[in-house]
Amino acid sequence: MTTAGDIMHRGAQWIPAHETLDRAAQLMRELNVGALPISDENERLCGILTDRDIVVGCVAMGHDPARVTAGEMAKGTPRWIASDADIDDVLNEMRTHQIRRLPVIDDKRLVGMISEADLAQHLTDEQIAAFVESVYARSASG
């Protein structure tokens, strides 16, 4: 059985909710990632911040990324999965919520992230095709 822990990218890092978006962008550059999980003061997941969020939700709106916090960008209910979850559960979570990145959390601690690139490296061609069709066909028609 392939699990979330088998395919996740290890070494993921939180961005605290109180950190500014310019610091988040610097951390994304340092880590060479396009998304960071946002943690509250108790180091619990409260959202995901993407590079697109920073550009579209802050910069393009004329806001100063040095004055807007990651927590201000956190919206909705964050999704996550445990490292021992089966790959089918990972795919279902990503499909159902049409998300491209999924934090992996064990004992309330961030242990990794799963992205579409991670899926592409570990799934069969049939699994990838089914995932892509279910996520992108639905979003294109909606």
Side-chain angles (χ1 to χ4, degrees):
M1 171 177 94
T2 302
T3 66
D6 295 331
I7 68 167
M8 72 183 184
H9 175 81
R10 297 181 189 284
Q13 290 186 19
W14 300 108
I15 185 79
H18 68 270
E19 285 288 354
T20 58
L21 298 185
D22 62 339
R23 178 62 192 127
Q26 293 164 2
L27 187 56
M28 286 179 187
R29 182 188 65 222
E30 291 167 17
L31 298 173
N32 193 30
V33 298
L36 294 168
I38 305 169
S39 69
D40 66 14
E41 63 279 353
N42 297 316
E43 290 197 3
R44 299 229 176 139
L45 181 67
C46 65
I48 301 269
L49 178 67
T50 67
D51 47 7
R52 186 176 195 286
D53 293 332
I54 295 170
V55 172
V56 175
C58 179
V59 177
M61 299 296 290
H63 301 296
D64 181 356
R67 296 188 182 273
V68 178
T69 67
E72 291 175 72
M73 299 299 287
K75 295 181 180 98
T77 302
R79 309 303 307 177
W80 59 273
I81 200 142
S83 65
D84 61 353
D86 184 77
I87 189 64
D88 290 331
D89 295 328
V90 171
L91 291 171
N92 186 52
E93 187 72 13
M94 293 176 81
R95 274 187 203 122
T96 302
H97 300 284
Q98 294 202 334
I99 53 178
R100 296 178 178 165
R101 298 167 183 97
L102 186 62
V104 182
I105 297 180
D106 282 334
D107 298 321
K108 301 177 185 170
R109 296 281 177 221
L110 178 68
V111 295
M113 286 282 281
I114 297 173
S115 68
E116 290 174 317
D118 297 317
L119 295 177
Q121 290 178 337
H122 293 92
L123 299 179
T124 66
D125 290 344
E126 292 79 20
Q127 287 173 309
I128 293 169
F131 174 77
V132 168
E133 182 177 342
S134 68
V135 172
Y136 292 101
R138 192 172 354 152
S139 62
S141 64

